[in-house]
């Protein structure tokens, strides 16, 4: 499918589901299909696989005309060794480090850019601005940032050289990243720079003038790993792993986080999101709906890879089309409908986004009920308070006490177990009136009916 046809068909689909942005895998020219574009050779060329540069401009413009932003994966961490590309460009190391121990990337068999050279930094920064300006992109997701920051990334002792202070930080790469984000901020104001950064490096999204790297968002890899680890467990065992849910909020506001369920989570024998879930088919679908409900109500921006919206059964295969026929079946279509409603819910209720990166936007109501595998928390904004309660077992929880601080009516505005999504229809009759029954240190509580493998969202109305 070319850029133009993809623009028209994909844009209509994305708009129908209520998503506000699409993120593309690298579309720069590359020789190896199996690299999915991550081994770039033509840094200034959209791949001809899908059309011309003007066709790609049409793609971006069509999305913009429909109110949808376009982000692009961008790869400054490494490049392939192909003889027709940047490797040994003038017959010797030019774009790569001269020292073989620094020049090779152990994970991908590629070469590492020499960030010491001003010419290389200029090449990469110019390239980033080229994509943002020439194609009117709304931001870049910068691939493999951790591999740039650490000299010993994926290397054993003796396989790396320390910096001039004896440490493992790639000092020139840190300087490059800061220069990159400063240049983008000056030349392309409003564009977002997103770091795929998997370590505990401090200040990834802190401004450069405050000692940070200057990114706008950082992928929350910890949330992704913990959440998928927890949900892959049989529900009877989840009570022994409640910490996988409760640890994340302890650091959720240290950075401006994005919650990624990307292509990396559904390839290389990891199974699809649906395939990871335990139980029979009904429980698998309920678990997928519960996963997305948790993701959309948790602090941070959301990322979902294609196929997840209809609970694709098999893992992603770049060589074949998505199994679109599955999207027309009742239960997969219910997942897509629920995602559309979650997107509208997030758009219509600022408590789910306005303070995503502010600790004031999240409060635990009950995080210690491991025995019943239930968590409940508040999402807040200056003008709104929402109660979120999630039941991670297939056992309905009638009469479940949710502590709240304020007396009043709490209207149920979302339920992942709704029949239209393929659920059992267990709910709370449209809402709940609080009771003067203390719970977990709060003066009032709700007598709620929690659905099996489901989540509810309640809006406080005084």
């Amino acid at each position: 499918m070319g850029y133009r046809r993809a623009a028209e068909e994909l844009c209509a689909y994305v708009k129908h589901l209520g998503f506000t942005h699409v993120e593309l895998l690298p579309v720069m020219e590359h020789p190896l299909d199996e690299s999915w574009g991550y081994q770039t050779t033509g840094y200034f060329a959209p791949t001809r696989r899908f059309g011309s540069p003007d066709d790609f401009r049409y793609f971006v413009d069509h999305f913009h005309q429909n109110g949808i932003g376009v982000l692009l994966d961008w790869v400054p961490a490494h490049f392939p060794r192909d003889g027709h590309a940047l490797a040994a460009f003038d017959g010797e190391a030019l774009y790569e480090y001269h020292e073989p121990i620094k020049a090779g990337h152990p994970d991908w068999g590629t070469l590492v850019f020499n960030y010491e050279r001003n010419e290389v930094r200029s090449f990469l920064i110019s390239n980033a601005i080229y994509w943002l300006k020439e194609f009117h992109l709304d931001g870049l997701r910068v691939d493999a940032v951790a591999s740039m920051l650490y000299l010993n990334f994926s290397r054993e002792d003796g396989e790396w050289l320390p910096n001039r202070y004896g440490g493992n930080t790639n000092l020139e790469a840190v300087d490059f990243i800061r220069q990159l984000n400063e240049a983008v901020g000056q030349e392309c104001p409003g564009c977002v720079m997103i770091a795929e950064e998997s370590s505990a490096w401090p200040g990834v999204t802190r401004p450069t003038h405050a000692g940070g790297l200057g990114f706008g968002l950082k992928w929350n890899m910890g949330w992704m790993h913990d959440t998928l680890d927890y949900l892959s467990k049989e529900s009877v065992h989840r009570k022994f792993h409640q910490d996988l849910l409760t640890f994340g909020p302890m650091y959720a506001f240290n950075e401006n986080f994005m919650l990624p369920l990307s292509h990396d989570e559904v390839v290389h024998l990891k199974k699809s999101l649906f395939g990871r879930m335990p139980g029979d088919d009904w429980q698998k679908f309920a678990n997928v709906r519960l996963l997305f409900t948790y993701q959309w109500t948790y602090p941070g921006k959301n990322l979902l890879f294609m196929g997840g919206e209809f609970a694709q059964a098999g893992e992603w295969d770049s060589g074949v089309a998505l199994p679109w026929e599955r999207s027309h079946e009742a239960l997969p279509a219910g997942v897509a409908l629920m995602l559309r409603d979650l997107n509208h819910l997030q758009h219509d209720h600022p408590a789910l986004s306005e303070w995503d990166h502010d600790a004031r936007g999240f409060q635990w109501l009950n995080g210690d009920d491991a025995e019943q595998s239930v968590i409940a928390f508040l999402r807040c904004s200056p003008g709104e308070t929402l109660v979120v309660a999630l039941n991670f077992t297939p056992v309905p929880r009638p009469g479940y006490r949710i502590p709240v601080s304020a007396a009043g009516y709490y209207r149920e505005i979302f339920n992942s177990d709704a029949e239209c999504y393929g659920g059992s229809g267990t709910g709370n009759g449209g809402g709940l009136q609080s009771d003067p029954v203390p719970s977990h240190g709060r003066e009032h509580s709700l007598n709620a009916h929690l659905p099996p493998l489901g989540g509810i969202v309640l809006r406080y109305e005084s």
Side-chain angles (χ1 to χ4, degrees), residues 427-440:
N428 294 279
L432 296 166
Q433 181 69 38
S434 67
D435 299 321
V437 177
S439 177
H440 285 75

Side-chain angles (χ1 to χ4, degrees), residues 18-272:
F19 288 94
T20 60
H21 290 78
V22 294
E23 180 182 317
L24 308 177
L25 297 185
V27 300
M28 289 75 84
E29 195 57 84
H30 55 282
L32 180 66
D33 288 346
E34 290 77 8
S35 79
W36 310 327
Y38 286 97
Q39 294 192 15
T40 297
T41 52
Y43 271 79
F44 288 83
T47 177
R48 289 288 301 180
R49 290 167 175 80
F50 313 117
S52 69
D54 281 342
D55 291 333
F56 184 60
R57 288 185 176 93
Y58 176 91
F59 178 96
V60 177
D61 184 61
H62 189 81
F63 272 85
H64 284 169
Q65 289 186 33
N66 284 273
I68 300 170
V70 182
L71 310 173
L72 179 67
D73 265 10
W74 184 65
V75 190
H78 63 107
F79 59 96
R81 298 174 181 267
D82 297 74
H84 60 275
L86 301 179
F89 192 75
D90 64 350
E92 60 182 33
L94 187 66
Y95 286 89
E96 64 268 36
Y97 285 105
H98 286 79
E99 304 94 333
I101 196 171
K102 291 182 69 174
H105 203 300
D107 280 350
W108 301 297
T110 50
L111 294 170
V112 180
F113 281 105
N114 183 351
Y115 306 108
E116 293 177 348
R117 301 197 64 168
N118 292 328
E119 300 89 341
V120 173
R121 296 190 197 192
S122 177
F123 170 81
L124 290 171
I125 292 173
S126 298
N127 183 250
I129 292 172
Y130 165 80
W131 285 97
L132 294 170
K133 282 193 169 183
E134 287 296 318
F135 298 99
H136 295 180
L137 295 169
D138 300 282
L140 300 175
R141 177 266 199 183
V142 182
D143 181 64
V145 171
S147 75
M148 301 166 66
L149 295 173
Y150 298 98
L151 294 165
N152 62 339
F153 184 87
S154 287
R155 292 173 169 87
E156 302 294 333
D157 290 343
E159 297 178 349
W160 60 281
L161 299 175
N163 62 32
R164 60 181 177 271
Y165 302 114
N168 67 342
T169 298
N170 189 329
L171 300 174
E172 57 266 25
V174 173
D175 288 342
F176 159 70
I177 290 170
R178 288 172 174 158
Q179 291 175 12
L180 166 69
N181 286 323
E182 289 172 356
V184 169
Q186 293 169 5
E187 297 290 330
C188 310
C191 290
V192 62
M193 296 293 283
I194 305 169
E196 189 220 7
E197 204 286 307
S198 55
S199 75
W201 185 279
V204 172
T205 56
R206 191 179 304 149
T208 57
H209 63 75
L213 296 181
F215 285 100
L217 291 168
K218 171 182 173 174
W219 278 25
N220 192 337
M221 308 295 276
W223 175 90
M224 178 272 293
H225 285 297
D226 286 350
T227 300
L228 293 182
D229 183 14
Y230 180 85
L231 281 167
S232 67
K233 300 181 186 303
E234 294 286 347
S235 57
V236 70
H237 300 306
R238 288 175 178 173
K239 63 184 178 181
F240 303 111
H241 303 278
Q242 187 89 343
D243 60 304
L244 293 173
L245 300 179
T246 57
F247 178 66
M250 296 179 67
Y251 65 85
F253 307 102
N254 293 346
E255 301 277 5
N256 300 337
F257 278 120
M258 172 174 278
L259 311 176
L261 295 178
S262 73
H263 65 282
D264 284 328
E265 281 67 75
V266 292
V267 292
H268 304 318
L269 304 180
K270 296 174 186 173
K271 301 181 181 179
S272 66

